[in-house]
Amino acid sequence: MPPDVPTTGNERLDKVTGRAVFASDITVPGMAHGRILRSPLPHAKIVKMDCTAALALEGVVAILSGEDLADLAQPYWGLYFNDRPVIAHEKVRYVGEPVALVVAETPAVAQAALDRIDIDYTPLPFIDNAGDAIAPDAPRLHGNLEAIADFYFKGQARPVSGTNIYQLYAISTGDTAAAEAEAARVFEHTYTFPGIAHYAMEPHCVTAAFEGDRLTVWSGAQSPTAVQKVLSRVFGLAYANVQVIVPHIGGGFGGKASVKIDPLVAAASWKAGRPVRVALTQEEAMLTCRRLGASITLTTAVDANGIILSKRAAILLDGGAYADTGPAVTVKAANRVIGPYAIKNLEIESRAAYTNTVPGSAFRSIGGPQAVWATESQMDEIAAALEIDPVDFRHRNLLPRGGKVLDSLRPLDADISEMMGHAGQAITSMGDRPAAGVAVAATDPGVLPLGGALVRLLADGSVLVMANSADIGQGVRDVLRNVAAKTLNQDPAAIRVAGPDTATTPFDWGTGASRSTVIIGLAVEDAAQDAREQLLALAASALEIPLDGVQLVPGGVATGSETIPFDRLFHTAFGIDSGEIVGRAMVTPSRKGSDFATSPLFWETAVGACDIALDEDTGALAVTRFAGVADIGHAINPAGAEGQEEGAAIQGLGHALYEHLAFIDGQPVNATPIGYRIPAAGDVPHAARTVLIENADGPGPMGAKGMGEGGLLPVAPAIANALARRYGIRLRDLPMTPEKIWRALRERDSDVP
Amino acid sequence: MYPSPFTYHRPASVEAAVALLAEFGDDAAPYAGGTELLLAMKMGFAQYDHLIDLKRLPTLRTIANEGEFLSIGALATHAEIAADPTVRDLLPPLAALCGEVANPRVRSSGTIGGNLCFAEPRADPPALLAGLDATLILRSTSGERAVPAASFITGALETVRAADELLVRIDILLSERRVRYERIVFGHRTVAGAVAALGAPGQPERIWVGGVATCPAPLPLTQSLLDAEPGAADARLHDAVTQDIAALDIADDEEASADYRRHLAATVALRAIAGCREELQR
Ligand SMILES: Cc1cc2nc3c(=O)[nH]c(=O)nc-3n(C[C@H](O)[C@H](O)[C@H](O)COP(=O)(O)OP(=O)(O)OC[C@H]3O[C@@H](n4cnc5c(N)ncnc54)[C@H](O)[C@@H]3O)c2cc1C
């Protein structure tokens, strides 16, 4: 009789029945609530702050402000520079910056107390766009800051001293001047890309509880160990005394990566001597972080046969008030502007500058959408000018599988030509006309190969997988469950994947950069393999049979003649039917069997193709068909993988057509759910296809590559290319609103002789 | 995030409701579906010490064919109007519009009265009802008065309703006119809407636009042109509409520039007229 296999429940059911616990659901005994007073000015000195009246309000527990910072071990923190105070200190640098945090018995009292805080500011000159930020006489946001090396990402930022530029990154190969001199044509265009809100369904929520020199934080954090690291510095605590617990997260997209409001909320608990919960509103989330806006000028030289000879790119990113992970965004924008093309001569300069706006930060494919928007738009512009079909023009210049985008990077591990073919077929399978617009992308995820897992096989045959990967709705727990199930030959239903808890789950860098399936997938695979080996050895010795005479079967071990459930095996081995086997693994850059020496560990590739319909009277555009193709090596969780591609494409639709976190005179003008438009169900193309290429050639378990970001990249340029091809208008500024389209149509019609 | 504290009243009769309004005046707001009111209060745009909940006043939600008029209670929700057989029969464009505005959640709790009294410049029903020569019935402790829909809204979030008045119903003149309402929606907002009510012998032609200026506006030159020449050629119609819209006070905002909005208004007005004419031809 086969052993009974226990089941561990289904998290999807938990989510649809509302039982799943999200960061916002956490309550802690004795918990008080915090609300944040935010700066109304883009740049100002705080000259006076009087909290007397607020403190006098019944139910107010404490108020945290810049004055408290002197008592912290490290009052300023950051990932590349310690440029950000835990709470505004003497100065504010953007509208929305926290200046005081009221802790009270209820959120309503905390909110009411905010009005009673009396603050005087002296306005300072401000800059609300990157162009102004790099002007010679621009006001400075920060003094010259020391870059911290290898703190969160590898490497360090290279600020330009005496300026607002916090990162300058350059790539130079070959000789672009010579190439341009011999070129048949040289094309120069500038493309612009706005700041964009992450707009996760669940705004940031953190609950923090100080007890003496121990700090526990429940946070919707994508990078719990980064939160742990920063908190330990800010408060001078041992890592072991900072416990970060991550429940389910209602969407992240990078907006909850690295570290966000955790130091602020922890400081409130520290000040109040009580656990404190701070749940931001969507408006506040929009004032917490955003994608970096960009202006990108491309100068591309081609020969008479339509072969690209050289490319120059000048990238300027609007970094907002604090650097956050902007320096990494700057590097990736430079790498990602090249595209999967064979270009010998490159001259790329990428800069990010501080501005008095919401801090820029990581967002699904950092620097990718900005760079691909420019490059893939220009590819079509050049093709049109040369009167070459845009797909053909790409074929002429695409790198083959194994080709090199840059010498320093891993050879391309996908066949983009083949992917374009799939995209074209998918489009014609949904309607008669061929695709109107196409775009491709290959990006180099910044995957740090460092992360561990435990796989605990318990006596009843249920399995606990302990890993630090955060569930942000992407289905990572299904992936890890499937990997453990396969390696241990157990039923996936018997396996439970625990969420991150820095006190119990092994270190992992974080959930981002499309890395969890590969790195934590491998860690779980290795840990499960370790558990498997231990189990088989235990069985062989306890049952006194040779090692090759036992094998794992669901619920136990089989010896050929009989199947022994795990509890009986443990009984035989340990004397009682209890105990467990702990498999463990840590994936490091030198993992056996992996080639982690060159970056990226895999390429994240994407092709998008679309057809559109346009109301030429109004400029209203609808995407009628969309096809997305990604080479993901192997789909460990096929439904999840498809969902990621489609979700990314829909987010890309928002970037393309609707989204723009706008500032006028440093004031955010649409940072509310009413003013800010994201795609809704009705905006999604009715005909859509996702094609996943699976050649089992990735570095992850079963040949998987990371995925989930790429699908966003081709959407905007594919739509812009469709507009150019079908309607003769070229838009170079996102989003492509109906008004911009209408103006372009009018210009087109007035140009007609 | 949190509205400022208020006292909640739930009157059991319309008399009691208007009495409360008389007592508290400016400090009170009628609370219908709350889809605008609560949002405005939570965002700190509006503060009231007293909310007077109308939801338990069933007489305010009746919809009836009164022969000369279609009478719609102020508390009828968009969803109720959209599904009501009388409205669908007598005024299909109103039923269709109410079935389309906003989203299912808002339609099932948002009311026609709330829409009119909030006087949001992007709202659809105000222009449609003005074009239909509807009359709004307002009630206070001193009795009822009738205000034409055409003059009810005076600006953005401004109406002629006094603080102690309750909108109780809307009477819509039933006529032989063909009615067409056209709108352009980006996201969840109307950026331009227009109604054409044409073709009833002896009755003036009506063209109104909404969603573009601060309040709904008639297009007088176009109306006179159609009154004089029901079959006026497209080019002349286009000129009249363009002139009418040029005369409207339309400002740039973060959503759209004024010239684009004017273009959209002209586009919907011409579409509404064309749609109406098509129906008249049938
Ligand atoms: C997401 C969204 C999308 C929308 N899209 C559209 C759209 O496409 N087109 C459109 O036209 N509208 C749209 N609306 C507006 C919607 O129609 C209104 O929110 C709704 O009709 C308001 O009705 P309510 O009963 O909720 O009013 P409430 O919020 O209860 O009240 C609104 C105001 O009217 C007052 N009031 C209410 N009833 C009375 C009364 N009987 N007498 C006197 N004063 C009264 C209140 O005091 C308050 O000041 C949208 C709204 C939302 C939230």
Side-chain angles (χ1 to χ4, degrees):
Chain A
M1 204 182 75
D4 283 343
V5 176
T7 59
T8 58
N10 183 328
E11 276 151 13
R12 292 187 202 167
L13 199 61
D14 288 350
K15 284 190 185 176
V16 296
T17 55
R19 227 174 21 195
V21 173
F22 288 81
S24 315
D25 295 321
I26 298 293
T27 55
V28 175
M31 178 173 94
H33 299 265
R35 295 287 302 149
I36 298 167
L37 185 70
R38 295 174 181 277
S39 169
L41 297 175
H43 200 192
K45 269 201 176 111
I46 302 171
V47 286
K48 186 194 103 185
M49 177 163 349
D50 182 354
C51 297
T52 327
L55 281 166
L57 193 66
E58 191 180 331
V60 171
V61 177
I63 299 179
L64 177 79
S65 72
E67 289 173 11
D68 299 306
L69 296 192
D71 298 328
L72 292 176
Q74 186 196 297
Y76 281 72
W77 62 276
L79 291 323
Y80 278 95
F81 308 97
N82 289 325
D83 59 355
R84 188 195 303 237
V86 167
I87 191 160
H89 181 225
E90 292 169 357
K91 236 180 158 193
V92 289
R93 294 185 179 83
Y94 73 96
V95 174
E97 177 160 12
V99 288
L101 192 158
V102 176
V103 179
E105 297 297 343
T106 67
V109 171
Q111 177 74 26
L114 298 183
D115 290 340
R116 299 178 167 220
I117 297 175
D118 189 13
I119 307 193
D120 285 347
Y121 296 98
T122 305
L124 295 168
F126 64 88
I127 31 178
D128 64 2
N129 66 83
D132 289 352
I134 60 168
D137 52 353
R140 299 267 321 266
L141 271 79
H142 298 272
N144 290 334
L145 294 164
E146 204 182 310
I148 26 183
D150 300 328
F151 183 78
Y152 176 63
F153 282 109
K154 270 202 282 191
Q156 72 184 73
R158 297 187 193 289
V160 179
S161 145
T163 75
N164 286 311
I165 298 167
Y166 66 64
Q167 170 73 310
L168 167 67
Y169 175 77
I171 296 171
S172 175
T173 64
D175 183 345
T176 55
E180 283 174 23
E182 73 181 51
R185 303 275 299 268
V186 179
F187 297 91
E188 182 163 299
H189 301 103
T190 297
Y191 303 89
T192 51
F193 187 106
I196 289 182
H198 296 83
Y199 214 109
M201 230 193 290
E202 180 193 36
H204 303 80
C205 182
V206 172
T207 303
F210 253 101
E211 273 174 83
D213 60 356
R214 300 221 171 104
L215 171 59
T216 309
V217 172
W218 293 262
S219 173
Q222 291 175 242
S223 327
T225 54
V227 171
Q228 178 191 40
K229 188 172 183 179
V230 166
L231 292 178
S232 86
R233 306 266 162 121
V234 168
F235 298 103
L237 302 174
Y239 283 15
N241 282 5
V242 180
Q243 182 177 7
V244 180
I245 301 168
V246 180
H248 290 293
I249 305 178
F253 312 119
K256 294 172 186 164
S258 65
V259 180
K260 292 291 177 296
I261 63 168
D262 314 83
L264 177 63
V265 184
S269 170
W270 163 79
K271 174 82 193 269
R274 293 262 299 266
V276 174
R277 172 183 190 262
V278 176
L280 300 190
T281 62
Q282 189 61 257
E283 286 90 333
E284 290 182 291
M286 294 171 108
L287 297 175
T288 300
C289 53
R290 63 174 172 89
R291 201 192 273 286
L292 284 76
S295 162
I296 300 181
T297 300
L298 299 180
T299 311
T300 304
V302 291
D303 73 10
N305 299 318
I307 304 299
I308 300 173
L309 300 176
S310 71
K311 180 171 187 173
R312 284 187 286 132
I315 302 171
L316 179 61
L317 295 156
D318 178 346
Y322 298 104
D324 198 293
T325 45
V329 178
T330 316
V331 171
K332 290 301 180 187
N335 290 351
R336 294 171 178 186
V337 87
I338 302 168
Y341 302 113
I343 310 174
K344 290 204 180 63
N345 306 294
L346 291 168
E347 207 74 54
I348 297 168
E349 185 189 69
S350 186
R351 294 178 294 173
Y354 287 120
T355 62
N356 294 107
T357 62
V358 174
S361 81
F363 190 152
R364 204 172 196 168
S365 188
I366 62 173
Q370 298 94 325
V372 175
W373 162 240
T375 285
E376 287 302 292
S377 293
Q378 201 195 31
M379 286 301 286
D380 265 48
E381 293 211 58
I382 298 172
L386 300 177
E387 296 179 4
I388 305 175
D389 175 80
V391 170
D392 179 25
F393 179 55
R394 285 183 177 78
H395 280 302
R396 292 184 199 190
N397 289 286
L398 275 175
L399 284 167
R401 185 191 289 278
K404 287 192 142 195
V405 175
L406 283 175
D407 275 341
S408 55
L409 298 178
R410 179 183 300 271
L412 196 61
D413 58 4
D415 185 337
I416 311 272
S417 287
E418 185 194 318
M419 289 167 65
M420 282 208 297
H422 284 292
Q425 280 165 17
I427 285 289
T428 44
S429 76
M430 294 182 283
D432 298 333
R433 289 202 301 191
V438 176
V440 310
T443 60
D444 55 325
V447 174
L448 190 73
L450 195 60
L454 298 177
V455 171
R456 299 168 54 190
L457 190 134
L458 310 181
D460 66 348
S462 61
V463 177
L464 261 176
V465 173
M466 321 250 329
N468 239 324
S469 292
D471 168 37
I472 44 175
Q474 84 283 45
V476 69
R477 294 191 192 180
D478 287 328
V479 169
L480 302 182
R481 175 182 294 112
N482 291 355
V483 169
K486 192 150 194 241
T487 312
L488 289 170
N489 192 27
Q490 298 298 308
D491 186 341
I495 295 172
R496 178 164 165 219
V497 181
D501 176 343
T502 57
T504 56
T505 49
F507 176 88
D508 176 38
W509 177 83
T511 302
S514 303
R515 64 188 290 288
S516 298
T517 292
V518 171
I519 302 304
I520 300 306
L522 285 177
V524 168
E525 191 176 58
D526 290 354
Q529 185 60 31
D530 182 30
R532 180 193 174 89
E533 283 163 14
Q534 292 182 47
L535 252 173
L536 293 177
L538 183 79
S541 90
L543 305 172
E544 296 172 6
I545 50 175
L547 200 53
D548 59 6
V550 274
Q551 66 189 61
L552 274 175
V553 294
V557 291
T559 59
S561 55
E562 64 171 334
T563 296
I564 301 154
F566 291 121
D567 55 356
R568 251 180 61 208
L569 173 66
F570 286 2
H571 198 155
T572 312
F574 304 143
I576 61 168
D577 56 0
S578 295
E580 71 178 74
I581 297 288
V582 183
R584 51 166 212 92
M586 190 77 199
V587 168
T588 68
S590 55
R591 177 180 183 269
K592 235 193 246 144
S594 286
D595 166 20
F596 288 160
T598 35
S599 170
L601 304 193
F602 55 86
W603 284 88
E604 188 155 354
T605 50
V607 174
C610 69
D611 194 11
I612 58 171
L614 185 65
D615 178 343
E616 291 200 54
D617 285 339
T618 65
L621 179 149
V623 177
T624 50
R625 286 177 289 159
F626 184 82
V629 184
D631 183 336
I632 66 165
H634 174 70
I636 295 174
N637 173 16
E642 239 176 69
Q644 281 292 294
E645 278 300 302
E646 286 163 10
I650 294 167
Q651 201 160 37
L653 189 70
H655 285 41
L657 301 181
Y658 314 129
E659 298 186 50
H660 174 194
L661 193 66
F663 300 89
I664 296 179
D665 292 334
Q667 295 286 339
V669 293
N670 62 352
T672 71
I674 296 173
Y676 192 87
R677 180 176 175 194
I678 56 167
D683 300 317
V684 174
H686 293 283
R689 277 259 161 100
T690 296
V691 182
L692 301 177
I693 311 281
E694 298 182 71
N695 293 319
D697 56 348
M702 300 164 236
K705 300 173 188 174
M707 57 92 54
E709 301 188 330
L712 199 153
L713 302 169
V715 181
I719 294 173
N721 292 341
L723 271 173
R725 197 150 176 209
R726 290 254 197 270
Y727 298 96
I729 55 173
R730 170 58 61 181
L731 271 69
R732 302 192 183 93
D733 175 42
L734 286 183
M736 294 176 274
T737 60
E739 181 169 345
K740 287 185 201 162
I741 293 173
W742 173 73
R743 284 191 197 290
L745 290 167
R746 278 211 314 188
E747 204 173 298
R748 175 200 70 184
D749 294 342
S750 67
D751 283 351
V752 175
Chain B
M1 164 177 204
Y2 295 100
S4 56
F6 56 84
T7 309
Y8 172 79
H9 304 267
R10 188 193 275 164
S13 66
V14 176
E15 291 70 28
V18 291
L20 286 166
L21 281 179
E23 186 182 344
F24 300 118
D26 275 348
D27 294 335
Y31 164 28
T35 56
E36 297 284 18
L37 179 68
L38 298 189
L39 204 62
M41 290 178 71
K42 283 184 192 168
M43 297 187 74
F45 298 151
Q47 289 185 8
Y48 296 101
D49 296 334
H50 301 273
L51 290 195
I52 299 166
D53 189 351
L54 307 179
K55 283 195 285 290
R56 301 289 168 96
L57 303 177
T59 55
L60 287 186
R61 48 183 357 131
T62 15
I63 299 176
N65 178 357
E66 303 284 357
E68 205 182 333
F69 297 102
L70 171 64
S71 174
I72 298 182
L75 213 64
T77 63
H78 294 300
E80 284 164 355
I81 298 170
D84 187 87
T86 312
V87 184
R88 292 169 77 111
D89 183 35
L90 298 175
L91 257 181
L94 178 64
L97 174 66
C98 287
E100 262 178 33
V101 295
N103 54 47
R105 259 175 78 185
V106 172
R107 288 199 290 275
S108 67
S109 49
T111 64
I112 186 86
N115 184 299
L116 292 165
C117 293
F118 196 63
E120 215 276 309
R122 307 281 165 257
D124 294 286
L128 174 58
L129 293 172
L132 292 174
D133 292 317
T135 304
L136 311 192
I137 311 299
L138 298 169
R139 178 157 166 189
S140 68
T141 46
S142 39
E144 284 190 354
R145 67 172 174 135
V147 178
S151 54
F152 180 68
I153 296 177
T154 52
L157 311 181
E158 282 171 20
T159 70
V160 300
R161 182 182 76 87
D164 66 346
E165 284 180 313
L166 197 63
L167 174 62
V168 288
R169 66 172 197 278
I170 301 130
D171 287 341
I172 305 167
L173 190 68
L174 292 172
S175 94
E176 295 294 300
R177 286 195 290 221
R178 295 303 156 91
V179 179
R180 185 70 163 237
Y181 185 79
E182 288 281 339
R183 61 183 199 142
I184 295 169
V185 183
F186 295 151
H188 54 241
R189 283 202 249 203
T190 298
V191 286
V195 57
L198 309 175
Q203 278 185 6
E205 308 286 58
R206 294 280 189 238
I207 317 287
W208 279 68
V209 296
V212 283
T214 50
C215 55
L219 302 189
L221 297 173
T222 314
Q223 290 180 164
S224 324
L225 173 65
L226 286 168
D227 277 334
E229 286 176 55
D234 285 352
R236 296 191 49 213
L237 262 180
H238 184 275
D239 286 349
V241 165
T242 312
Q243 274 190 58
D244 275 331
I245 286 172
L248 298 179
D249 191 9
I250 297 176
D252 287 336
D253 61 28
E254 58 285 3
E255 218 166 19
S257 313
D259 63 335
Y260 178 53
R261 249 191 225 292
R262 284 182 202 285
H263 166 77
L264 293 179
T267 303
V268 281
L270 290 166
R271 283 180 181 178
I273 296 168
C276 237
R277 285 176 150 187
E278 248 171 53
E279 278 181 43
L280 283 166
Q281 235 115 76
R282 269 189 216 138

